[in-house]
């Protein structure tokens, strides 16, 4: 298939596909007429990349998954390097969750303090408690 069809089927743009190609994530095969050519395997690579990006993985983090698929494994997360990326991402997410929980607790404490303080309340703008 040509680049336009692959982009359509993958739900992306030809510009994105060219970018992935320049980063070495998508193969750069050309037909005799000079047009880029792709197959179902390339679509699978793109679907893997897109899924991981939807989960918050940056483009470089998808590389081990792409390499795993290219090596002939049935799933991009069947290789040790992919599992390492999952582990790092989970640690990163756990850290972010911890930060958010801390911020949430601080905001909740400030709200409680602000609503329990018997000072005069502002009468303009926003809602009153």
């Amino acid at each position: 298939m040509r680049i336009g069809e692959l982009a359509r089927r993958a739900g992306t743009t030809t510009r994105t596909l060219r970018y992935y190609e320049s980063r070495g994530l998508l193969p750069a095969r050309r037909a005799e007429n000079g047009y880029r050519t792709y197959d179902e395997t390339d679509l699978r690579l793109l679907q893997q990349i897109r899924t991981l990006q939807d989960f918050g993985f940056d483009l470089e983090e998808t590389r081990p998954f792409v390499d795993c698929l290219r090596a002939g494994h049935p799933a991009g997360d069947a290789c040790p390097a992919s599992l390492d990326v999952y582990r790092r991402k989970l640690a990163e997410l756990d850290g972010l969750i911890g930060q958010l929980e801390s911020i949430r607790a601080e905001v909740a404490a400030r709200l409680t303090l602000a609503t329990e303080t018997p000072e005069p309340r502002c009468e303009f703008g926003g809602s009153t408690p």
Side-chain angles (χ1 to χ4, degrees):
M1 77 185 88
R2 291 186 30 200
I3 193 168
E5 182 182 350
L6 180 63
R8 181 185 55 76
R9 290 182 63 192
T12 191
T13 65
T14 58
R15 182 178 181 187
T16 298
L17 298 183
R18 287 186 200 100
Y19 179 69
Y20 290 169
E21 183 182 304
S22 74
R23 299 293 305 266
L25 292 169
L26 198 59
R29 292 185 304 269
R30 297 209 180 244
E32 288 181 19
N33 60 10
Y35 291 132
R36 289 173 171 88
T37 61
Y38 302 96
D39 58 24
E40 294 298 318
T41 302
D42 300 320
L43 178 59
R44 206 159 149 240
L45 293 176
L46 282 171
Q47 290 167 334
Q48 179 77 76
I49 292 168
R50 300 279 311 228
T51 297
L52 291 169
Q53 287 190 307
D54 287 347
F55 292 159
F57 288 67
D58 67 37
L59 195 56
E60 265 317 296
E61 289 174 317
T62 69
R63 188 173 300 280
F65 297 86
V66 170
D67 292 344
C68 191
L69 285 171
R70 280 186 177 160
H73 295 280
D77 56 8
C79 297
S82 302
L83 299 176
D84 288 344
V85 173
Y86 275 153
R87 287 182 187 101
R88 284 193 304 270
K89 184 55 79 174
L90 279 175
E92 178 186 323
L93 291 170
D94 287 342
L96 291 171
I97 290 168
Q99 288 175 349
L100 288 172
E101 287 173 340
S102 177
I103 292 168
R104 186 191 186 290
E106 182 64 28
V107 170
R110 288 177 182 230
L111 175 61
T112 298
L113 183 62
T115 57
E116 292 176 353
T117 304
E119 296 177 12
R121 296 281 164 227
C122 181
E123 298 296 328
F124 63 89
S127 302
T128 57

